């Protein structure tokens, strides 16, 4: 499958589009290559990426430094097959005909874990979910 043909199209959403949704998008792009078309956006986009999210992906050899927070738009919502909302802060209404899921991701800060240790745990939780979604969508 090549991008633009029958590749599944996914939108990862979080509130600011600086951390969790960018992690998921970067992980999926790295895993799927052109097998999946990946978008990320925020319901209340911030002004920059979370540096710890960027660094946690860099540890895996994934570079997302060219990315930036983007808003959720009707155009992208109409163009995707799957919408994944990460965490409970972002609120988005499901669209008829579009697979819609909310991933209540691990939040280590509730256990007093902060900084890069927190971000690695969040990244690894999202990575597990991304691999499962990729397998479901592509049969790989």
């Amino acid at each position: 499958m090549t991008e633009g043909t029958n590749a599944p199209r996914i939108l990862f959403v979080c509130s600011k589009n600086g951390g969790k949704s960018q992690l998921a998008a970067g992980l999926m792009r790295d895993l799927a290559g052109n097998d999946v078309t990946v978008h990320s956006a925020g319901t209340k986009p911030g002004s920059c990426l979370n540096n710890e999210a960027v660094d946690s992906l860099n540890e895996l050899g994934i570079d997302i430094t060219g990315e930036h927070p983007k808003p959720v738009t009707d155009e992208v919502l109409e163009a995707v097959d799957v919408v994944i909302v990460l965490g409970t802060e972002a609120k988005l209404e499901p669209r008829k005909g579009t697979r819609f899921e909310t991933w209540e991701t691990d939040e280590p800060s509730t256990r007093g874990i902060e900084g890069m240790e927190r971000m690695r745990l969040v990244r690894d939780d999202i990575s597990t979910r991304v691999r499962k979604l990729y397998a479901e969508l592509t049969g790989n």
Side-chain angles (χ1 to χ4, degrees):
M1 231 181 273
T2 59
E3 189 170 357
T5 59
N6 294 325
R9 298 160 301 192
I10 301 173
L11 171 63
F12 292 106
V13 177
C14 67
S15 180
K16 296 179 184 172
N17 190 226
K20 292 177 181 179
S21 58
Q22 293 284 354
L23 285 170
L27 289 160
M28 182 62 84
R29 284 186 189 108
D30 183 64
L31 176 64
N34 290 333
D35 290 345
V36 176
T37 301
V38 180
H39 303 273
S40 71
T43 55
K44 298 174 188 173
S47 59
C48 61
L49 298 184
N50 177 313
N51 288 331
E52 289 175 347
V54 173
D55 290 345
S56 75
L57 288 177
N58 281 336
E59 291 177 347
L60 301 178
I62 301 170
D63 182 9
I64 64 165
T65 54
E67 291 294 327
H68 62 279
K70 299 167 284 299
V72 175
T73 64
D74 286 335
E75 179 180 72
V76 74
L77 285 170
E78 291 168 10
V80 299
D81 307 302
V82 180
V83 175
I84 305 293
V85 178
L86 291 101
T88 56
E89 191 176 335
K91 304 297 182 204
L92 196 61
E93 289 296 317
R95 293 228 170 181
K96 186 174 181 170
T98 302
R99 178 176 169 179
F100 189 94
E101 293 181 24
T102 298
W103 291 353
E104 292 188 26
T105 55
D106 182 28
E107 188 41 71
S109 62
T110 62
R111 301 185 305 275
I113 302 169
E114 299 292 343
M116 279 305 292
E117 182 181 3
R118 171 192 171 268
M119 193 56 65
R120 287 181 189 111
L121 291 168
V122 170
R123 175 201 66 200
D124 293 348
D125 176 41
I126 292 171
S127 179
T128 298
R129 295 165 188 259
V130 162
R131 285 192 305 273
K132 181 176 184 245
L133 178 63
Y134 174 72
E136 288 172 12
L137 294 175
T138 65
N140 293 331

